[in-house]
Amino acid sequence: MPGTKAPESARREQILTAAYEVAAREGLEGTTILQVAAAAQLSPGLVMFHFKSKRFLLLALLDWLLATTTVLHVGGDIAALASPYDRLIALLRQEMHRLSREPLRIRLTFDYWTAGIRDAEIRARVSAELKRYRDAFQPLARAVLEAEPARFAGVTPEGLAAVSVSFIKGCAVQSMLDPERFDIAQYLAAAEGLMAQFGAPAATH
């Protein structure tokens, strides 16, 4: 309830969670301090105390969103796979499933990306975080190329990491655009089939 004391970090998290709920529903332009305060069950003044303005709140929300979306975790089950290629496919499957389950989160991420076309600060933050996400794939991509050079002839670790992320982000976009009919199993099968063809010799006639 308004006026209830709480640690500053907990209060900020409460406000950011409320801001996420509002922004995912209303979009960035439609989000207001009053709506966020109501969702957080706090006074607008307390929201302003912590974030100073709507812009600072939305920038903080962007950082919070990216920190909880573009994080790559390689679990023990994936790390235990003997083949680097199998580990890469398993990681793609994990990330596609993870992101496609949260279409509102992906929609809000793309809302920020659109805003970044005209806002240099937003663009820089989104671009930097996506680069970190791509870079996190590079050690595994490098291991795949070392293990199977013929399959990926001419491909760099940076290139394979970028293609891997494009599959994941594409999956997320498709699940956002048509969540009712999107078939994650079909998308995964198609992605794995395409990955299996990388480096295959071109057909001759």
Side-chain angles (χ1 to χ4, degrees), residues 137-159:
F137 277 86
Q138 286 196 35
L140 181 52
R142 187 172 293 106
V144 171
L145 298 182
E146 291 172 354
E148 303 192 43
R151 184 199 293 265
F152 296 95
V155 179
T156 65
E158 294 82 2

Side-chain angles (χ1 to χ4, degrees), residues 170-194:
C171 177
V173 170
Q174 291 300 318
S175 68
M176 175 187 70
L177 294 175
D178 194 5
E180 297 300 322
R181 291 185 294 179
F182 178 66
D183 186 344
I184 181 69
Q186 184 179 112
Y187 191 100
L188 284 167
E192 289 181 29
L194 288 171

Side-chain angles (χ1 to χ4, degrees), residues 112-175:
Y112 273 110
W113 182 258
T114 302
I117 294 173
R118 294 182 175 85
D119 189 313
E121 186 171 8
I122 289 176
R123 182 170 64 252
R125 293 188 187 200
V126 173
S127 296
E129 194 60 36
L130 290 177
K131 181 180 184 302
R132 280 192 288 271
Y133 186 64
R134 288 194 304 272
D135 289 349
F137 277 86
Q138 286 196 35
L140 181 52
R142 187 172 293 106
V144 171
L145 298 182
E146 291 172 354
E148 303 192 43
R151 184 199 293 265
F152 296 95
V155 179
T156 65
E158 294 82 2
L160 183 53
V163 169
S164 299
V165 171
S166 73
F167 279 137
I168 294 165
K169 296 301 182 183
C171 177
V173 170
Q174 291 300 318
S175 68

Side-chain angles (χ1 to χ4, degrees), residues 2 28 39 41 46 51 58 61-63 65 68 78 80 106-107 113 123 126 129-130 154 158 175 182 186-187 197-198:
L28 298 179
Q41 296 186 306
L46 191 54
F51 293 98
L58 292 183
L61 176 60
L62 172 59
D63 291 339
L65 181 69
T68 55
I78 294 177
I106 298 304
R107 184 175 296 124
W113 182 258
R123 182 170 64 252
V126 173
E129 194 60 36
L130 290 177
E158 294 82 2
S175 68
F182 178 66
Q186 184 179 112
Y187 191 100
Q197 294 304 312
F198 281 2

